[in-house]
Amino acid sequence: MDWGTELWDQFEVLERHTQWGLDLLDRYVKFVKERTEVEQAYAKQLRSLVKKYLPKRPTKDDPESKFSQQQSFVQILQEVNDFAGQRELVAENLSVRVCLELAKYSQEMKQERKMHFQEGRRAQQQLESGFKQLENSKRKFERDCREAEKAAQTAERLDQDINATKADVEKAKQQAHLRSHMAEESKNEYAAQLQRFNRDQAHFYFSQMPQIFDKLQDMDERRATHLGAGYGLLSEAELQVVPIIAKCLEGMKVAADAVDAKNDSQVLIELHKSGFARPGDVEFEDFSQPMNRAPSDSSLGTPSDGRPELRGPGRSRAKRWPFGKKNKSSSTLQTVVTEDFSHLPPEQQRKRLQQQLEERNRELQKEVDQREALKKMKDVYEKTPQMGDPASLEPRITETLNNIERLKLEVQKYETWLAEAESRVLSNRGDTLGRHARPPDPPASAPPDSSSSNSNSGSQRNKESSEEPPSEEGQDAPIYTEFDEDFEEEPASPIGHCVAIYHFEGSSEGTISMAEGEDLSLMEEDKGDGWTRVRRKQGDEGYVPTSYLRVTLN
């Protein structure tokens, strides 16, 4: 079924329908254009939002960037930024593939439609012109027939009139004959015009207009097909970015799962651990001394030997800075930054010095690699002069050597400062532990017997090791038994190092003595019995209580 056959008489209907189709195409183009503007505005707002909440400081200068919470938030912001980029891509695809192409296609359809309807109107005008000619010839034929009949009646009346002359009768007959001849000619012309119009009309309704209507039908169907494809582009543009958007959402989920509360707590410790020793006990200040009390009058400030402990107001009190308020006047003063970071707390100073040392070592290695590369290039130039002048490399080699020497001096300087800072940190730790914790009780079991290799001794030792903390009374009881450990064998390599937290007097066989803060080599880890095998710098080895050590494995 086609328009030329079924809608042969619906010229105005087809004109309205094709115009409606083009208007629909234009409305869809306008809709997609506004949709792209919405997408672009959405993407712009997302990017502005991301920019607003992104950290302003570089990552290396921002301590908060070390927390997993902050890292996850930054990753989510980056994923949102990538999501905004995909919305911009959707807007771009819609603008190019839909707005521009369909708008251009709409213009082409309008021109084609205009051409077809102009052709149809010309055909209508031609048919109307033929119909007007037919009507004119018909009216002329009708008029001539009436005139001929009237002339014949006049001639017949004069012929019967006895008073009419012969000349009048002849004249009337001639006039009637003339009118009759003219009517015959009009009849022939009308018949010819009618035949011509019928032929043109048949051509108009059965050939010319059906062809035009069929062209309009083909044009409209092509427009509808193109519009349907445009509808598909709307979803296709979305489907193209779905995989990337899915990755963005997956990245957000990964960022959410990456939040590690325990690790963040450890990061906070690493960032702000000062390394200062904890404040000591507040001593009693005896203000009753000037009262000259009798020796029998004991007081809280009088020691058991009878000698009072003087605490005059001139003595400085211990600094309890963690709980004290900062001086308002000091807030206006700027901290003087020193090269060795001595203005920082001990632990932070050690970390900063370690960072500087690592940076200098990296720079030094880079300069060494560059020097080696320049030497090889110089050798190549010397062997193949056409490739370059060896002397041209001398300034760069000299500069590299100077940089190496400078960096070596800086490395030595930072190593010295780092060693001093680490010693201060260890000293502060020892002081804190010495003031605030008494040494724990040594294990109730005897140290391991290295000469015994049977499993019974090992299981017996495990049974003897107590899981409950030993009582204070057990500290005075004999806790060591016989040792068969042979310490004269060739010892293995150290598996770590440790620092003595408390002083230990190794009076039993198999144990060694150690001083508080002494560095020791770790030879064997605790097997569950509470003893650790260590080696002193003097070379002697033995067991010490594990709870008396701070151990670091290699």
Side-chain angles (χ1 to χ4, degrees), residues 103-163:
K104 181 179 178 182
Y105 185 76
S106 176
Q107 293 299 323
E108 294 175 357
M109 289 293 100
K110 289 177 181 179
Q111 292 297 327
E112 183 177 354
R113 175 182 177 277
K114 181 180 179 180
M115 179 185 67
H116 293 324
F117 278 103
Q118 284 179 349
E119 183 179 357
R121 288 191 176 89
R122 282 198 300 267
Q124 284 183 336
Q125 290 174 359
Q126 291 176 358
L127 185 63
E128 291 175 358
S129 176
F131 183 75
K132 288 180 180 180
Q133 292 177 2
L134 175 64
E135 289 293 321
N136 291 334
S137 63
K138 179 181 177 182
R139 284 194 296 272
K140 181 181 178 183
F141 173 55
E142 182 182 6
R143 184 175 61 252
D144 289 345
C145 287
R146 286 197 301 269
E147 292 293 334
E149 183 179 0
K150 183 178 179 181
Q153 291 176 355
T154 301
E156 184 179 358
R157 187 178 64 255
L158 288 177
D159 185 39
Q160 296 177 357
D161 190 2
I162 58 175
N163 297 321

Side-chain angles (χ1 to χ4, degrees), residues 102-313:
L102 285 185
K104 181 179 178 182
Y105 185 76
S106 176
Q107 293 299 323
E108 294 175 357
M109 289 293 100
K110 289 177 181 179
Q111 292 297 327
E112 183 177 354
R113 175 182 177 277
K114 181 180 179 180
M115 179 185 67
H116 293 324
F117 278 103
Q118 284 179 349
E119 183 179 357
R121 288 191 176 89
R122 282 198 300 267
Q124 284 183 336
Q125 290 174 359
Q126 291 176 358
L127 185 63
E128 291 175 358
S129 176
F131 183 75
K132 288 180 180 180
Q133 292 177 2
L134 175 64
E135 289 293 321
N136 291 334
S137 63
K138 179 181 177 182
R139 284 194 296 272
K140 181 181 178 183
F141 173 55
E142 182 182 6
R143 184 175 61 252
D144 289 345
C145 287
R146 286 197 301 269
E147 292 293 334
E149 183 179 0
K150 183 178 179 181
Q153 291 176 355
T154 301
E156 184 179 358
R157 187 178 64 255
L158 288 177
D159 185 39
Q160 296 177 357
D161 190 2
I162 58 175
N163 297 321
T165 62
K166 186 178 180 178
D168 291 337
V169 173
E170 289 296 328
K171 184 177 179 181
K173 288 181 178 180
Q174 290 179 357
Q175 186 68 23
H177 179 72
L178 178 62
R179 291 293 181 184
S180 177
H181 180 70
M182 291 176 63
E184 189 65 25
E185 289 182 351
S186 297
K187 178 181 177 180
N188 293 334
E189 183 181 355
Y190 170 65
Q193 189 67 33
L194 179 61
Q195 185 178 7
R196 187 183 307 113
F197 175 77
N198 288 333
R199 184 179 65 250
D200 293 342
Q201 182 176 252
H203 175 70
F204 177 81
Y205 286 113
F206 290 95
S207 178
Q208 191 174 15
M209 290 307 295
Q211 290 179 1
I212 295 175
F213 288 170
D214 289 342
K215 291 178 181 179
L216 288 172
Q217 180 181 359
D218 178 68
M219 180 204 74
D220 192 71
E221 290 177 352
R222 284 188 284 111
R223 177 202 58 77
T225 302
H226 216 78
L227 181 59
Y231 291 162
L233 290 175
L234 194 65
S235 59
E236 184 179 342
E238 293 284 349
L239 291 174
Q240 286 179 349
V241 300
V242 164
I244 307 299
I245 291 178
K247 290 183 179 179
C248 293
L249 298 178
E250 183 64 24
M252 295 181 189
K253 185 177 183 301
V254 171
D257 296 338
V259 175
D260 189 343
K262 293 292 184 182
N263 182 70
D264 286 355
S265 297
Q266 189 63 31
V267 169
L268 183 66
I269 293 174
E270 295 297 328
L271 285 176
H272 300 287
K273 183 178 180 181
S274 66
F276 284 125
R278 292 182 176 86
D281 295 336
V282 178
E283 299 181 7
F284 178 76
E285 299 184 16
D286 189 2
F287 296 99
S288 63
Q289 187 63 27
M291 298 174 61
N292 296 323
R293 287 190 177 183
S296 60
D297 294 334
S298 60
S299 64
L300 182 61
T302 306
S304 59
D305 57 1
R307 291 177 297 173
E309 181 182 2
L310 297 179
R311 269 296 175 189

Side-chain angles (χ1 to χ4, degrees), residues 47-58:
R47 291 193 182 277
S48 299
L49 184 66
V50 170
K51 184 178 180 181
K52 177 181 178 181
Y53 284 95
L54 274 176
K56 301 300 185 292
R57 291 184 293 178

Side-chain angles (χ1 to χ4, degrees), residues 9 24 56 62 139 217 234 256 262 322 337 354 413 512:
D9 58 343
L24 179 62
K56 301 300 185 292
D62 188 6
R139 284 194 296 272
Q217 180 181 359
L234 194 65
K262 293 292 184 182
V337 180
Q354 183 68 35
K413 177 175 62 176
I512 60 172

Side-chain angles (χ1 to χ4, degrees), residues 31-46:
F31 161 75
V32 175
K33 183 178 180 181
E34 293 183 3
R35 165 73 186 278
T36 58
E37 294 174 354
V38 170
E39 292 287 354
Q40 290 171 349
Y42 179 44
K44 183 178 180 181
Q45 291 177 359
L46 283 179

Side-chain angles (χ1 to χ4, degrees), residues 88-103:
E88 290 176 343
L89 183 61
V90 169
E92 182 180 357
N93 289 338
L94 292 178
S95 177
V96 174
R97 300 185 60 188
V98 178
C99 294
L100 293 181
E101 293 184 6
L102 285 185

